[in-house]
Amino acid sequence: MESIIEKNEEIIENHYILNVRVKGRIPKITPGQFFMVRIEDREVFLRRPFTVYDQRGDLLSIMYKVRGRGTMVLSRMKKGQKLSILGPLGRGFHIGKRDFYLVIAGGIGIAGVHLLMKRIGKKAKLFYGTSSSLGVSLVKDLMDYEPVISTMDGSYGYRGDVVSSLREKIDGFLGKDLEVFACGPKEMYRSLKELLSKYGFACQILWEERMGCGMGLCFGCVVKTNDESDPEKRVCFEGPAFSLWEISL
Amino acid sequence: MGNISVELFGKKLRNPVMNASGTLGYGKEIERLWKISLLGAFVTKGLSVRPHHGNPQPRIWDLGYGMLNSIGLQNIGIKRFMEEYSQFFRRRRTPIIVNIFGFTEEEYFECARVIGHTSVVLAIEVNLSCPNVKQGGISFGKDPEVVRRIIRGIKSETDIPVIAKLSQEVKDIVEVAQAAYEGGVDGLTLINTIPGVVNDGGKFIRGGISGPFLKSFALKAVYECAKRLPIPIIGAGGIMNANDALDFFLAGAKAVQIGTATFVDPNTIPKVIKELKRRYKEGRWKRDL
Ligand SMILES: Cc1cc2nc3c(=O)[nH]c(=O)nc-3n(C[C@H](O)[C@H](O)[C@H](O)COP(=O)(O)O)c2cc1C
Ligand code: FES
């Protein structure tokens, strides 16, 4: 699909929000789904996956951090330039009918739960962890939901990691029909698993792996699970949303 | 539109365009974009006698001029593939080419045995050249004597036509192709990925290079082998569009396979087929298909 860049703005150092207007119709996106974006550059051959940050009709947003050549070139693109995008792809969060949700995001992982919060925010508590107060700008849009914010250096909110802030507050949520949604680095999932194993909540996480095709064709993105008949799942096809309990961490 | 059907191993194919092994999943995944029945034939992912897990992450590197993969031949095994998917291809009236590999010569023969005889299978494509797995393909495809023996062994197990798939890394690809021919092979697929190494943050990882970088190597292999051997050749390696495909036909290929290009644009295969039909109809293709 063709799209035109409407805005490509740096929010904090190395972190951008890109808005594109898509030519043609896109279906309602499930939070956690992603697009494969073609970045035109001599050194970039394969498309890169980006989770949908926001959708308003044919206006699509992604939030990204500059991590390599692909995102670096993307960050230099300007309003009015064309971008070929492919999606929405993958299986996003399954949102059932729970009483309440806990949403956990670490760092740029906020990009993966932003759309989710916009859909279920009234019935959810967001826990967001970042390295310092600078990172708080990434959650600006969701301040109405009164997120619990933690910073590693203690310059804003709780001092420490996001799972520790959850550990302190979790007793206040017990007794409800709860589900946890999370997006963040692998270490965060590890400590989340350790914490939640005591409570046995359902928990869905977004997994990230390098991708070749984004459509289940290449088996480049597999993650090991505890499914005995098919242990290796494609993140782009069977995921990126998985149960925290099925992934081998 | 032009009629670009071809005859391969006594069967008529809608067109001479296939996917390359390992680049179109198990065949159903792409159907959200286009029907698998568009293909002349579907080539399976590399399949083995027993299911195989493949390599740890990461498995994909972008090289700019192509990519390097170390998937490690992950697959569900031939038996399960045939049980779960052959009906799908039958319904789609799409012949399949079953790509096989083994870690021992005996495993190759076993693969042929497990496939048995089924009308939906157009041919068996023998991966003699995959560089991903340590004890795998690489050593088999490098030695003409071993190639001759494996092909002969497979031929004695099955009536299904057998294709040898070779890599460019051997000293003389014509010599290896010749050996496969002496073993009784019915066709060739040229070429597989070329082995390479990437520096992944200080860790050196082996894999197979594919994409545009391969095209001239592949074209040479097709050109040289087509001159010397009287069996059909399927060209693969770096085909990104109809012009690339035509180069392979003009070099002597009977059909082509498109792999990595699908990752960049998943509609490459339908686009190439459409463009080939148009050119054929307009007579801008002076060649008997
Ligand atoms: C991700 C990936 C997986 C592959 N898996 C197989 C395989 O299982 N068996 C095989 O014979 N070739 C395999 N190949 C090689 C391709 O079938 C093809 O020969 C090669 O990539 C060159 O074509 P291309 O440049 O169009 O991709 C694989 C290639 C890629 C990129
Ligand atoms: S990226 Fe190719 S299968 Fe997931």
Side-chain angles (χ1 to χ4, degrees):
Chain A
M1 260 181 299
E2 277 281 286
S3 74
I4 304 276
I5 297 179
E6 295 226 322
K7 200 168 90 179
N8 189 14
E9 189 181 44
E10 187 166 26
I11 320 162
I12 56 170
E13 198 189 2
N14 279 337
H15 293 68
Y16 292 75
I17 288 184
L18 171 78
N19 293 345
V20 298
R21 186 146 322 263
V22 181
K23 288 189 186 164
R25 287 169 65 92
I26 37 172
K28 188 177 175 194
I29 287 155
T30 306
Q33 285 191 300
F34 65 96
F35 277 75
M36 293 295 281
V37 177
R38 177 101 172 97
I39 299 164
E40 305 270 351
D41 180 64
R42 192 168 44 81
E43 289 177 41
V44 182
F45 176 67
L46 298 167
R47 288 172 183 262
R48 298 288 192 271
F50 294 96
T51 307
V52 176
Y53 174 78
D54 206 351
Q55 175 192 25
R56 269 157 289 160
D58 61 354
L59 192 75
L60 209 64
S61 309
I62 59 175
M63 179 192 270
Y64 62 97
K65 181 179 177 180
V66 174
R67 291 197 263 197
R69 179 80 192 178
T71 41
M72 200 260 282
V73 174
L74 185 64
S75 73
R76 291 188 187 152
M77 291 188 73
K78 297 272 178 307
K79 183 181 159 107
Q81 282 185 284
K82 283 188 200 148
L83 210 56
S84 161
I85 63 170
L86 181 73
L89 299 168
R91 212 178 47 95
F93 290 117
H94 173 74
I95 305 168
K97 289 200 170 65
R98 305 269 184 183
D99 296 339
F100 201 73
Y101 299 94
L102 298 178
V103 177
I104 321 298
I108 189 66
I110 192 69
V113 299
H114 180 265
L115 185 61
L116 176 76
M117 278 304 290
K118 284 188 55 181
R119 300 260 172 92
I120 63 161
K122 291 199 183 79
K123 285 189 354 180
K125 191 71 182 169
L126 172 65
F127 289 77
Y128 168 64
T130 176
S131 52
S132 75
S133 61
L134 277 178
V136 176
S137 308
L138 299 188
V139 80
K140 222 168 33 190
D141 254 60
L142 298 171
M143 280 304 191
D144 287 351
Y145 299 114
E146 299 176 0
V148 176
I149 297 175
S150 53
T151 52
M152 291 308 286
D153 66 359
S155 55
Y156 191 105
Y158 272 82
R159 177 191 289 270
D161 65 280
V162 65
V163 177
S164 302
S165 72
L166 175 65
R167 187 178 294 118
E168 284 196 27
K169 294 248 175 186
I170 199 162
D171 285 344
F173 300 100
L174 299 181
K176 288 183 179 168
D177 174 34
L178 259 188
E179 180 156 7
V180 181
F181 293 116
C183 184
K186 286 170 191 163
E187 314 83 77
M188 184 187 101
Y189 292 147
R190 247 173 246 128
S191 43
L192 191 61
K193 192 171 184 176
E194 205 183 300
L195 172 65
L196 294 184
S197 58
K198 291 197 214 76
Y199 302 94
F201 296 139
C203 177
Q204 296 175 49
I205 60 172
L206 288 187
W207 196 257
E208 186 176 312
E209 236 25 285
R210 222 178 278 179
M211 291 187 183
C213 68
M215 299 188 67
L217 310 175
C218 72
F219 287 73
C221 63
V222 301
V223 58
K224 276 218 163 49
T225 67
N226 54 20
D227 178 343
E228 277 171 24
S229 61
D230 277 308
E232 296 182 293
K233 304 279 186 221
R234 286 163 289 186
V235 172
C236 71
F237 200 71
E238 281 90 19
F242 291 97
S243 163
L244 175 65
W245 311 112
E246 70 178 309
I247 300 280
S248 320
L249 277 166
Chain B
M1 280 286 205
N3 177 7
I4 55 169
S5 64
V6 285
E7 206 182 285
L8 195 63
F9 310 127
K11 290 219 177 98
K12 191 171 160 183
L13 306 187
R14 282 177 207 104
N15 61 62
V17 182
M18 307 167 183
N19 63 293
S21 173
T23 63
L24 209 60
Y26 288 112
K28 289 185 183 174
E29 297 89 345
I30 196 67
E31 287 221 325
R32 64 173 282 176
L33 289 183
W34 46 271
K35 280 259 185 291
I36 207 73
S37 54
L38 272 176
L39 289 168
F42 173 77
V43 185
T44 72
K45 210 172 153 35
L47 299 171
S48 44
V49 182
R50 275 165 290 280
H52 188 66
H53 285 328
N55 292 337
Q57 286 290 348
R59 291 179 165 190
I60 299 277
W61 289 267
D62 190 331
L63 304 176
Y65 49 86
M67 62 180 278
L68 181 140
N69 85 80
S70 90
I71 309 297
L73 295 168
Q74 178 192 337
N75 78 95
I76 57 175
I78 292 185
K79 195 156 163 284
R80 193 167 151 204
F81 176 82
M82 296 305 284
E83 283 165 9
E84 289 181 16
Y85 291 89
S86 53
Q87 194 55 32
F88 165 73
F89 292 103
R90 210 167 272 131
R91 268 201 309 275
R92 293 280 188 271
R93 300 178 181 286
T94 302
I96 58 181
I97 295 181
V98 180
N99 183 290
I100 63 166
F101 71 93
F103 297 110
T104 62
E105 293 183 26
E106 181 52 36
E107 279 183 13
Y108 279 95
F109 310 149
E110 259 182 274
C111 286
R113 238 172 276 149
V114 177
I115 295 166
H117 194 89
T118 155
S119 60
V120 72
V121 178
L122 172 70
I124 296 173
E125 184 178 70
V126 187
N127 178 1
L128 292 158
S129 44
C130 188
N132 291 15
V133 180
K134 248 186 252 158
Q135 322 91 304
I138 187 162
S139 47
F140 299 118
K142 270 190 165 172
D143 184 343
E145 192 44 53
V146 174
V147 168
R148 191 180 297 119
R149 204 162 56 222
I150 290 178
I151 297 298
R152 196 168 280 151
I154 293 173
K155 285 295 288 181
S156 71
E157 295 288 349
T158 181
D159 309 330
I160 301 170
V162 175
I163 302 167
K165 183 170 177 183
L166 304 177
S167 166
Q168 184 55 48
E169 56 142 2
V170 296
K171 251 186 283 163
D172 180 2
I173 201 163
V174 181
E175 190 190 343
V176 181
Q178 183 74 41
Y181 181 61
E182 287 159 18
V185 93
D186 301 279
L188 299 169
T189 297
L190 305 172
I191 60 176
N192 210 318
T193 52
I194 296 182
V197 163
V198 282
N199 176 358
D200 189 69
K203 204 170 146 202
F204 289 86
I205 298 179
R206 290 193 182 85
I209 304 170
S210 62
F213 163 80
L214 246 61
K215 193 188 146 190
S216 289
F217 299 104
L219 206 55
K220 175 173 187 285
V222 169
Y223 179 70
E224 306 283 0
C225 290
K227 275 197 302 195
R228 290 180 175 79
L229 295 167
I231 46 175
I233 294 174
I234 303 168
I239 298 176
M240 301 301 285
N241 51 45
N243 275 332
D244 291 337
L246 275 166
D247 282 340
F248 278 86
F249 293 127
L250 297 171
K254 183 95 179 176
V256 294
Q257 295 178 352
I258 294 174
T260 303
T262 298
F263 303 161
V264 179
D265 176 1
N267 285 311
T268 304
I269 288 176
K271 282 180 186 164
V272 169
I273 293 170
K274 199 169 159 204
E275 177 66 12
L276 288 176
K277 284 183 178 169
R278 197 168 67 85
R279 299 232 193 144
Y280 190 75
K281 191 179 170 207
E282 290 169 0
R284 290 195 286 125
W285 185 346
K286 301 200 177 43
R287 198 171 60 80
D288 193 357
L289 259 178

